[in-house]
């Protein structure tokens, strides 16, 4: 009787000890736990609804400290390429002056923004673009002289077509060319309209744009 | 010859750009230096100290018996060890969630109501002053979050996953901006929060007085605005995802000297 | 009531440098709130400093002085132990005076 | 809607009236005269000088203006005005492109250095002026350009 009691007490001590030294849950269990914590921690506010936490294939594949495998990356890129809507009238370039305004504007799509407010392109947040703007980010490559460096003298010419189309595609859905690109999918996510993308295109590719001076 | 010309033009443009970048960066450094002396965070520290000692709430009690992890009433050094496990609440808590606990248990205030209050109003104003005071009591100390409790380790793992979690219309995660040193958004340097980014940088610089809004921002508010700019939904105040991110950044920043409350753009 | 100022006065040589932080909104009267209504101006208009009770400096400020204002100036002949006080009055007539000892 | 004009204090109204009849210089030298709302309403430097009863400002190497070349945020820009010249009556800090040019007036006594630093709001990049109004009526200035940048994510 007495030994049993001591034995139970010893067991209890072991149990308490275990609580602190028990091995961590498996990586998969932690993934699940993290997802549960994330879903439970956010609430909707303004235009920012909870469906923003529902990940698509690419978002899921690019949500760890390691890049996805080559096959998954390929799958993401192929799917992304298929989403690109090319301009129906074949007109790729708009007004570079409007494009500069969009590049400067970092507003839109936050819970403090209104649903009907036009979004900016936030381009200068991450890229150098026009030389006059000193306040530019460096997460993305410099886009200064973007068209000039790529030899775009006439954006309408057939020789310019590949770079013009690539640039449109990159703006529409950056993940078509790099599965885990940091750049938002401006066309695919409806952050910018076709016309707005034309204006940003002009900022980058129009030989008259200060970007190419 | 033509290639040489192009190469020359490229070099010139690269050189021109780097010279310009340097001058802008130098200018900003000079600006920050000029603001160093006389951080308005001091005003909040002073107010927070008064609030810590003042009898308030339905129980007419001060927070002087609040246990921030180093024992009741010990403020010095508490900030650089948070978030951590608390046996009484059976939770890993950051400074703000722990203060909510103390305001409720000691002073009889309603923690749920305070958590729901928008920043800059009501008891949230007290909260910002309190975090200024408490973090200032760890100024110069090294960040050293405990990781001995299993739940602290679990929260680190959850925080890591939350840090890399991509979502929203812009596909951003914390890692989009904070996984590499030397990058900027506009002119603001972005610390790499996956490692120790250095003394007084990143985790070791918050809470901070934000020049742009003229307010003191706790880490909770800093994270809240990160998620807003990430185009995520609204993170609950002192919610587990925010605490887990605190654990992740804090553990990564082990050894970094805290300069909180700092002065920020 | 307005929150206290933070005043630091340090003697060096034949003068003392005074650094002051004041807790004030310094609302310009030109900003609009979320509803599009102008937020009324609310800012410090007059500042004065005294050394051992004698006025040594007066200032007038407009709304372009930054929120939670900082002010630095130097008082000649001030030495350790002297009392420096700073006062302000805002456009609503609110006032605040705080004192520090020169160190 | 309340405008700053509505907030003119009684004494300020008086000051404005006196300024209109050219009596301001004597009033401005009397420190107890109160807040010079007309000066803080001035949109240009000539208008400001009119309100303060000063002559045309002359650029001078004896006056210094301090401030960063570039400001990370226009909400808080550290600037200062200083001169070692004797006979200074007051020092001013101006931001040329702000809605009103005058930011601050510091009345100088024998007991303080003519050296003041504060922090100002700047709506955009602009020249910033340090002005020394002398007892003999001279008005001296120094200026420098401060660029205000857009910071952060801009959202």
């Amino acid at each position: 009787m007495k030994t049993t009691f001591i034995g139970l007490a010893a067991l209890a001590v072991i149990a308490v000890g275990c609580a602190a030294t028990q091995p961590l849950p498996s990586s998969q269990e932690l993934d699940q736990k993290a997802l549960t914590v994330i879903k439970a921690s956010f609430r909707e506010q303004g235009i920012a609804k909870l469906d923003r936490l529902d990940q698509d294939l690419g978002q899921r594949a690019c949500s760890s400290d390691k890049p996805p495998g080559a096959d998954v990356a390929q799958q993401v890129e192929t799917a992304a390429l298929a989403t690109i809507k090319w301009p129906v009238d074949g007109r790729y370039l708009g007004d570079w002056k409007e494009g500069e305004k969009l590049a400067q504007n970092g507003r839109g799509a936050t819970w403090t923004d209104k649903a009907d407010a036009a979004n900016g392109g936030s381009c200068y947040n991450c890229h150098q673009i026009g030389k006059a703007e000193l306040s530019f980010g460096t997460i993305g490559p410099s886009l200064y002289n973007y068209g000039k460096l790529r030899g775009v003298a006439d954006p309408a010419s057939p020789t310019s077509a590949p770079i013009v189309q690539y640039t449109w595609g990159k703006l529409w859905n950056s993940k078509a060319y790099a599965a885990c690109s940091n750049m938002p999918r401006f066309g695919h996510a409806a952050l910018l309209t076709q016309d707005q993308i034309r204006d940003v295109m002009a900022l980058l590719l129009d030989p008259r744009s200060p970007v190419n001076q | 010859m033509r290639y040489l010309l192009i190469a020359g033009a490229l070099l010139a443009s690269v050189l021109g750009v780097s010279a310009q970048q340097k001058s802008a960066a130098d200018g900003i450094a000079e600006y920050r230096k000029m603001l160093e002396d006389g951080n308005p965070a001091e005003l909040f520290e002073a107010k927070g100290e008064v609030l810590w000692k003042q009898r308030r709430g339905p129980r007419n009690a001060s927070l002087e018996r609040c246990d921030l992890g180093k024992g009741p009433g010990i403020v010095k050094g508490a900030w650089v060890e948070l978030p951590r496990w608390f046996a009484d609440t059976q939770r890993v808590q950051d400074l703000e969630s722990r203060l909510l606990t103390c305001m409720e248990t000691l002073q009889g205030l309603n923690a749920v109501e305070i958590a729901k209050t928008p920043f800059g109003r009501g008891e949230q104003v007290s909260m910002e002053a309190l975090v200024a005071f408490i973090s200032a009591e760890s100024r110069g100390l090294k960040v050293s979050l405990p990781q001995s409790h299993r739940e602290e380790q679990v929260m680190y793992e959850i925080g890591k996953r939350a840090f890399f979690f991509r979502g929203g219309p812009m596909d951003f995660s914390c890692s989009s901006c904070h996984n590499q040193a030397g990058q900027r958004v506009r002119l603001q340097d972005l610390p790499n929060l996956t490692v120790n980014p250095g003394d007084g940088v990143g985790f070791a610089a918050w809470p901070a007085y934000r020049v742009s809004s003229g307010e003191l921002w706790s880490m909770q508010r800093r994270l809240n605005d990160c998620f807003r700019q990430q185009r995520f939904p609204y993170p609950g105040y002192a919610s587990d995802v925010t605490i887990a991110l605190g654990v992740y950044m804090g553990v990564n920043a082990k050894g970094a000297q805290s300069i909180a409350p700092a002065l920020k753009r | 009531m307005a929150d206290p100022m933070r005043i630091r006065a340090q003697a060096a040589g034949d003068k003392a440098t005074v650094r002051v932080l004041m807790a004030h909104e310094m609302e310009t009267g030109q900003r609009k709130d979320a509803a599009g209504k102008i937020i009324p101006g609310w800012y410090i208009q007059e500042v004065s400093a005294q050394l051992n009770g004698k006025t040594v400096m007066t200032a007038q400020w407009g709304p372009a002085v930054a929120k939670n204002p900082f002010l630095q100036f130097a008082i000649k002949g001030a030495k350790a132990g002297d009392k420096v006080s700073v006062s302000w009055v805002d456009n609503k007539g609110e006032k605040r005076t705080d004192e520090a000892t020169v160190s | 809607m309340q405008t700053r004009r509505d907030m003119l204090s009684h004494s300020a109204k008086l000051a404005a009236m006196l300024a209109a009849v050219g009596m301001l210089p004597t009033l401005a030298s009397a420190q107890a005269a109160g807040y010079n709302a007309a000066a803080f309403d001035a949109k240009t430097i000539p208008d400001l000088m009119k309100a303060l009863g000063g002559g045309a400002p002359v650029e001078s190497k004896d006056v210094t203006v301090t401030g960063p070349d570039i400001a990370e945020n226009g909400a808080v820009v550290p600037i200062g005005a200083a001169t070692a010249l004797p006979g200074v009556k007051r020092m001013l800090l101006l931001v040329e492109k702000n809605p009103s040019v005058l930011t601050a007036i510091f009345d100088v006594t024998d007991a303080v250095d003519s050296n003041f630093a504060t922090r100002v709001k700047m709506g955009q990049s602009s020249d910033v002026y340090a002005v020394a109004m002398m007892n003999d009526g001279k008005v001296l200035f120094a200026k420098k350009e401060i660029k205000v940048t857009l910071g952060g994510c801009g959202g």
Side-chain angles (χ1 to χ4, degrees), chain A:
Chain A
M1 180 66 193
K2 203 176 170 186
T3 31
T4 321
F5 183 76
I6 292 167
L8 278 176
L11 267 178
V13 167
I14 290 164
V16 168
C18 278
T21 55
Q22 212 176 66
L24 287 186
S26 71
S27 188
Q28 286 77 8
E29 283 170 318
L30 285 166
D31 288 348
Q32 201 47 52
K33 237 176 144 71
L35 205 58
T36 308
V37 162
I38 289 169
K39 300 259 168 172
S41 293
F42 289 89
R43 62 171 168 80
E44 69 170 53
Q45 172 95 346
I47 60 171
K49 309 293 185 200
L50 286 173
D51 62 6
R52 292 186 174 196
L53 299 174
D54 299 337
Q55 295 179 304
D56 65 16
L57 175 72
Q59 289 175 329
R60 215 168 23 247
C62 301
S63 282
S64 104
D65 55 343
K66 292 173 200 69
D71 50 334
V72 175
Q74 186 59 54
Q75 202 186 335
V76 171
E77 288 169 17
T78 307
L81 194 62
T83 68
I84 298 171
K85 290 201 180 83
W86 305 96
V88 273
D89 55 0
R91 198 168 58 83
Y92 282 91
L93 266 64
D95 177 356
W96 66 262
K97 288 189 201 75
E98 290 304 309
E100 169 70 15
K101 284 185 209 159
L102 285 165
Q104 290 281 0
N105 182 351
R107 291 190 178 276
T110 74
W111 68 63
T112 47
D113 290 303
K114 302 243 171 6
D116 54 358
N119 296 328
S122 308
C123 313
Y124 280 103
N125 284 5
C126 298
H127 297 280
Q128 180 183 37
I129 312 174
K131 210 171 180 185
E133 180 53 81
L134 298 178
S135 178
F136 58 85
T138 59
I139 296 172
S142 171
L143 303 175
Y144 177 63
N145 276 356
Y146 180 87
K148 197 176 174 182
L149 289 174
R150 287 161 182 78
V152 180
D154 173 14
S157 76
T159 50
S160 300
I163 194 67
V164 168
Q165 282 166 17
Y166 162 77
T167 308
W168 180 275
K170 184 80 184 174
L171 285 165
W172 194 278
N173 191 335
S174 56
K175 276 68 175 178
Y177 310 97
C180 296
S181 167
N182 275 327
M183 189 163 129
R185 296 171 284 182
F186 289 102
H188 182 66
L191 293 164
L192 296 179
T193 64
Q194 286 218 14
D195 277 338
Q196 286 178 311
I197 292 177
R198 284 190 180 96
D199 292 338
V200 176
M201 288 283 289
L203 178 68
L204 296 175
L205 291 164
D206 191 328
R208 290 163 298 180
S209 159
V211 168
N212 295 315
Q213 302 301 312

Side-chain angles (χ1 to χ4, degrees), chain B residues 31-32 37-38 188 212 228, chain D residues 69-70 72-73 76 119 152 155:
Chain B
Y31 167 82
R32 288 180 190 152
D37 201 13
Q188 275 66 52
S212 45
R228 189 180 69 83
Chain D
D69 295 339
I70 185 165
E72 200 171 9
N73 197 293
V76 177
R119 295 167 185 169

